[in-house]
Amino acid sequence: MLIQNACWIRMKAAPSKTVPVFRKEFSCPKPVFRAELEVTCDGVYEAVLNGDRVGNFILAPGWTEYRKRLQVQTYDITALLHENNMLEITVGNGWFRRTNAPWTGTQNPDEFLPAMVIAAVHLVYEDGGEEVLPTNSSWEVSESTITLSGIFEGEDADMTRELCFTPAEVCDFPKNMLIPQEGPEVHEQETVYPCSSFLTPKGEWVIDFGQNLTGYMAFEMTAHAGEQLSLSTAEVLDRDGNFYTGNYRSARSQLHYVCREGKQAYRPRLTFFGFRYLRIDEAPEGFTADRIRAVVLHSEMRRTGWLESSDPMLNQLFSNILWSQKGNYLDIPTDCPQRDERYGWTGDGQIFCRAATYQYDVRQFFRKWLADMRAAQHDNGWVPEVIPSLTAYKPGGSAWSDAVTIIPWQLYQTYGDLSFISSMFDAMKKWIAYLPTISGTPDLVTGCWTYGDWLALDAPPDWIPADMEQAKRGYSNDDLICSAFYANSVDIVIRTGRLLGQDMSGYEALYARIVNAFRAAFGQKLNTQTEKVLALHFNLAEDPQRLADALAEQVADCGTQLQTGLLGTPYILHELTRYGHVSTAWSLLLRQEYPGWLYSVSKGATTVWEHWDGIRPDGTFWDDDMNSYNHYAYGSVADWVFGAACGIQPATPGFARVRIEPHPDSRVQALSAVLDTVRGRIRSAWKYTESGIRYEIETPTETEVILDGKTYIVGNGKYIFVRQHMPK
Ligand code: BGC
């Protein structure tokens, strides 16, 4: 990369909060055959050449494990070149210079590194001559019109500000972590227009976009210099219909824009917001709500999956899950896009990964994030719970850090590409070798930190948790959870090793010991729903049918409701289905009361909530503290709808051979799933008719169709199967 010969430059003596614009004027004396810009920064940047934005990558260079990996973008700028050119690069704080980031070296934002950029313009002339314009002291810099920029803060811009350019200062900053762009770029994906604008009971002017989303606002207007447009964001209104921002915690999430004179258009491209509503706190005279729209951002991913049913509430749930993936697949898989967090939580990442692979092609998205996971893994094998890593998290973290095995294995199943597991094999082995070093018991993982069955609802009424965090972890046994995930990770290591042609006998012996130790320690203590679900899902139960029957009974006994948290919820419908309790699984999915998937739908949700009761039946909120309305974790149920209700599964990795085993339920008259696999399109649909059930199946390759326990082998094509109702 040419950028290796360029210098990092900064604005002399600028405080870390300054959002500078760097510029370079240059001319092309001869016809240019090709021109490229290589660029990156310690924040997020926007490059503009002769007034036109360079490329479509919003929030470049993205978020990576910066100490080891900082992506460099290469743009073809040939079409933007003139004879005399002005290149401008504005650098906002972005993820690099945000609080709680280890690479900033401090927790005090006033002491953060200043904004720096490194770039090189490469000109190839038609006569074969070449020229490189690297960043150095010949570049100039000024404070930009952006007066404040941050991922959590949002943006302040003052279009009346006079820019004053001085020579940039060359600074000493490492270049050994610079790597070419790996991930898919984040792009503007769609525009959402306001569906209403109204005054709340408090008298505040609010715009509703009708959809909770991730992105930013864009507007155009005519205004006088100095007039201001100030906007605040919210995901929900409170029960009185007032604007509610409590759940953003310390994230300011606002835009303050000081107008210049005349006609103008704007969008804040160095930050993003999670919102459905905007409050207009101040506006130029004559400003109307139709001047404003929402622009949706997410990483480039090809849509691969579609669900549709005869039930409008289910369809809304499917839409909510899709929107939560869009809203949280913004360069990294985040837990939520709005509050002062937006981290790459590994637990949420692994829980939702399978559903994600049904909805979008996420190969490139995860390739980059898994590379960051490898880079973030500690020498002793510990995988941090958030990737890119942050400071101050606790070692251990089973079920979260097990993303290191679960995600690559899932990607291999969906796409059949061995490189997902071969590239992670060493990291997987290091992780499972680390666990015994912190465990109190051989062959199990005990006494170690975990978030447990986070947010579970299974505690008996008289339970007194030690603290709030324990209360959130639910009542399942942490040692059981950690050991079950350990067994699963060792199992994945064994399967991976075998595929790579390695002798895995040592790991096989370890696995046998783990299963025995698990059964001895926990076999008689599988009490909570999640404890049963994990023992079933990870094949650790001695008598799985009996355990599954007990699980179904337990679910029925408590009023056919979920008590599971983040870890049990993704698997419970699968395990009930696998052991013949299909109707119980459907009952859980279709439940409209709290806790259940359709409860939030009945409350008007347009994305998946963090808590089943984010908004309680009486309209009050769960809490300010941890209450995201765009948290995809429970949206993992989409993989049951695709994989069990419509029954589309890879019989062998990458859908080389397909298995379709639908599980209909007459409470839903029709359901269909379409999935574009690497082998081609699969469709599985069923519909209740007067006389029975009609199945429509389309497959690109050899497929086992399993209906009522009977297997039919079919080749590529479209098929209809009709099942008559049994005479009563
Ligand atoms: C996140 C979760 C995450 C958890 C760890 C929360 O603040 O939003 O989704 O997994 O912390 O328990």
Side-chain angles (χ1 to χ4, degrees):
M1 289 186 294
L2 291 167
I3 210 172
Q4 286 293 350
N5 298 320
C7 303
W8 282 99
I9 54 172
R10 57 168 287 185
M11 185 173 173
K12 199 171 176 182
S16 57
K17 281 183 188 158
T18 301
V19 181
V21 52
F22 297 88
R23 77 176 187 192
K24 175 76 182 170
E25 212 173 336
F26 62 97
S27 53
C28 306
K30 300 182 280 185
V32 173
F33 173 67
R34 202 183 74 242
E36 283 182 347
L37 169 67
E38 288 180 11
V39 54
T40 193
C41 72
D42 68 338
V44 289
Y45 69 83
E46 181 176 53
V48 172
L49 181 56
N50 301 322
D52 286 322
R53 187 176 211 277
V54 175
N56 300 318
F57 188 172
I58 310 291
L59 301 166
W63 193 5
T64 43
E65 187 69 19
Y66 290 133
R67 280 173 297 186
K68 295 187 179 161
R69 293 158 42 80
L70 173 58
Q71 297 180 122
V72 174
Q73 292 70 49
T74 303
Y75 301 100
D76 184 342
I77 51 168
T78 322
L80 299 179
L81 275 190
H82 298 166
E83 196 179 326
N84 295 312
N85 299 285
M86 177 62 82
L87 174 64
E88 296 160 292
I89 305 171
T90 307
V91 180
N93 279 30
W95 294 285
F96 204 112
R97 288 174 295 123
R98 59 178 267 180
T99 43
N100 202 14
W103 50 88
T104 57
T106 168
Q107 293 301 307
N108 179 358
D110 293 329
E111 293 168 9
F112 283 176
L113 290 166
M116 294 180 284
V117 71
I118 185 166
V121 176
H122 184 204
L123 301 167
V124 181
Y125 293 106
E126 278 182 7
D127 66 6
E130 289 190 33
E131 204 178 337
V132 178
L133 307 168
T135 38
N136 55 31
S137 54
S138 74
W139 288 53
E140 294 181 306
V141 62
S142 165
E143 288 184 332
S144 69
T145 48
I146 299 173
T147 52
L148 180 93
S149 168
I151 295 290
F152 298 145
E153 292 79 359
E155 186 172 299
D156 292 355
D158 181 353
M159 306 314 282
T160 65
R161 195 186 231 187
E162 299 270 331
L163 305 196
C164 168
F165 284 89
T166 53
E169 183 180 57
V170 167
C171 48
D172 196 21
F173 195 62
K175 291 188 230 170
N176 56 0
M177 75 299 204
L178 300 181
I179 56 161
Q181 175 68 26
E182 272 183 10
E185 296 183 353
V186 173
H187 287 173
E188 292 188 350
Q189 301 285 349
E190 55 194 293
T191 303
V192 179
Y193 294 90
C195 59
S196 66
S197 125
F198 50 90
L199 284 183
T200 65
K202 275 194 187 160
E204 295 174 326
W205 182 12
V206 168
I207 296 177
D208 179 6
F209 288 94
Q211 174 62 55
N212 197 21
L213 55 86
T214 302
Y216 41 58
M217 52 303 265
F219 50 84
E220 60 251 350
M221 60 185 165
T222 303
H224 292 301
E227 283 188 306
Q228 188 157 329
L229 179 64
S230 286
L231 303 169
S232 298
T233 58
E235 291 188 290
V236 292
L237 302 178
D238 71 14
R239 75 167 151 176
D240 302 321
N242 286 313
F243 201 73
Y244 168 71
T245 58
N247 68 327
Y248 284 66
R249 302 195 305 210
S250 73
R252 189 191 70 159
S253 195
Q254 292 177 346
L255 175 73
H256 297 278
Y257 174 85
V258 180
C259 307
R260 58 180 153 73
E261 188 64 32
K263 215 173 154 194
Q264 52 211 291
Y266 197 77
R267 57 188 69 190
R269 286 185 174 124
L270 300 178
T271 186
F272 66 94
F273 307 84
F275 65 103
R276 167 175 168 167
Y277 300 94
L278 289 180
R279 185 179 63 202
I280 303 180
D281 298 315
E282 192 179 337
E285 226 189 295
F287 185 82
T288 51
D290 60 359
R291 304 281 79 204
I292 197 157
R293 56 198 185 278
V295 179
V296 176
L297 295 178
H298 59 78
S299 292
E300 276 292 292
M301 309 174 283
R302 188 173 54 88
R303 176 101 182 255
T304 53
W306 292 263
L307 293 173
E308 206 185 331
S309 79
S310 53
D311 180 332
M313 288 188 84
L314 268 187
N315 289 341
Q316 184 63 48
L317 174 69
F318 302 155
S319 167
N320 295 359
I321 297 170
L322 196 81
W323 274 97
S324 281
Q325 180 168 359
K326 295 200 272 193
N328 283 291
Y329 274 32
L330 192 142
D331 208 55
I332 62 159
T334 55
D335 54 338
C336 57
Q338 74 298 80
R339 68 173 176 231
D340 53 353
E341 205 158 356
R342 314 185 197 183
Y343 298 152
W345 278 102
T346 46
D348 306 56
Q350 65 90 351
I351 286 160
F352 189 72
C353 171
R354 187 158 161 204
T357 63
Y358 276 112
Q359 301 196 120
Y360 284 96
D361 182 341
V362 292
R363 282 177 284 184
Q364 206 190 338
F365 181 78
F366 273 113
R367 242 185 243 291
K368 162 188 168 267
W369 194 60
L370 290 175
D372 286 308
M373 193 180 285
R374 291 197 298 274
Q377 185 172 29
H378 292 233
D379 289 342
N380 65 4
W382 175 45
V383 177
E385 301 119 286
V386 288
I387 305 290
S389 64
L390 301 168
T391 45
Y393 281 91
K394 301 170 189 158
S398 282
W400 270 251
S401 306
D402 287 286
V404 71
T405 57
I406 294 172
I407 293 179
W409 186 252
Q410 180 57 50
L411 296 170
Y412 171 61
Q413 295 306 311
T414 302
Y415 302 112
D417 181 344
L418 261 182
S419 69
F420 283 113
I421 44 176
S422 60
S423 63
M424 295 300 287
F425 190 45
D426 286 342
M428 294 181 189
K429 285 189 295 186
K430 271 169 71 181
W431 164 245
I432 60 164
Y434 161 74
L435 289 167
T437 69
I438 58 165
S439 171
T441 317
D443 304 324
L444 295 174
V445 178
T446 61
C448 301
W449 166 253
T450 173
Y451 289 97
D453 191 25
W454 191 245
L455 309 183
L457 305 169
D458 51 8
D462 55 349
W463 184 49
I464 303 173
D467 50 35
M468 265 304 275
E469 198 157 80
Q470 195 188 11
K472 286 179 191 156
R473 291 215 306 272
Y475 202 63
S476 290
N477 180 339
D478 284 349
D479 291 345
L480 183 155
I481 289 174
C482 294
S483 301
F485 276 88
Y486 175 46
N488 180 53
S489 282
V490 172
D491 185 39
I492 290 174
V493 166
I494 293 169
R495 289 165 192 264
T496 302
R498 285 187 194 142
L499 284 162
L500 300 177
Q502 304 215 358
D503 171 17
M504 299 308 288
S505 47
Y507 289 101
E508 284 157 10
L510 167 65
Y511 183 74
R513 291 199 306 274
I514 295 172
V515 174
N516 285 337
F518 184 93
R519 288 177 177 167
F522 311 116
Q524 302 308 313
K525 297 182 193 155
L526 297 165
N527 298 321
T528 66
Q529 289 183 6
T530 289
E531 288 169 352
K532 292 188 177 69
V533 167
L534 294 183
L536 289 167
H537 193 71
F538 295 137
N539 301 313
L540 298 165
E542 259 171 290
D543 185 346
Q545 187 62 55
R546 230 175 90 188
L547 186 63
D549 295 346
L551 172 66
E553 213 178 294
Q554 184 174 5
V555 168
D557 284 352
C558 67
T560 314
Q561 58 174 290
L562 293 162
Q563 295 175 329
T564 48
L566 244 63
L567 303 184
T569 304
Y571 309 137
I572 187 167
L573 303 193
H574 286 286
E575 294 315 311
L576 288 168
T577 307
R578 181 174 163 197
Y579 292 100
H581 300 286
V582 180
S583 165
T584 309
W586 271 106
S587 298
L588 290 176
L589 180 72
L590 295 175
R591 189 181 156 92
Q592 294 184 16
E593 302 82 35
Y594 160 82
W597 281 277
L598 297 186
Y599 170 72
S600 63
V601 172
S602 77
K603 285 287 179 190
T606 58
T607 37
V608 180
W609 295 352
E610 180 171 22
H611 292 269
W612 298 116
D613 55 346
I615 299 176
R616 298 195 187 102
D618 67 1
T620 56
F621 295 130
W622 185 83
D623 193 54
D624 275 359
D625 169 44
M626 247 192 45
N627 200 9
S628 155
Y629 294 97
N630 198 353
H631 227 75
Y632 55 47
Y634 290 152
S636 56
V637 74
D639 69 42
W640 182 81
V641 181
F642 276 101
C646 287
I648 302 177
Q649 299 273 353
T652 57
F655 292 90
R657 190 178 160 94
V658 177
R659 181 188 158 97
I660 300 181
E661 185 178 8
H663 291 96
D665 186 286
S666 60
R667 284 168 285 181
V668 175
Q669 281 302 296
L671 181 67
S672 90
V674 172
L675 179 67
D676 284 338
T677 69
V678 289
R679 297 281 167 158
R681 174 160 290 192
I682 300 175
R683 179 166 176 269
S684 168
W686 46 256
K687 194 179 177 164
Y688 280 82
T689 62
E690 268 174 25
S691 55
I693 310 178
R694 177 189 160 94
Y695 296 91
E696 292 180 14
I697 282 166
E698 178 182 343
T699 175
T701 183
E702 189 171 82
T703 297
E704 307 157 13
V705 178
I706 306 170
L707 301 175
D708 305 326
K710 241 182 117 181
T711 303
Y712 308 82
I713 307 291
V714 299
N716 111 0
K718 293 183 180 177
Y719 304 89
I720 291 172
F721 294 83
V722 176
R723 285 282 167 284
Q724 303 295 331
H725 286 308
M726 291 295 184
K728 289 210 172 117

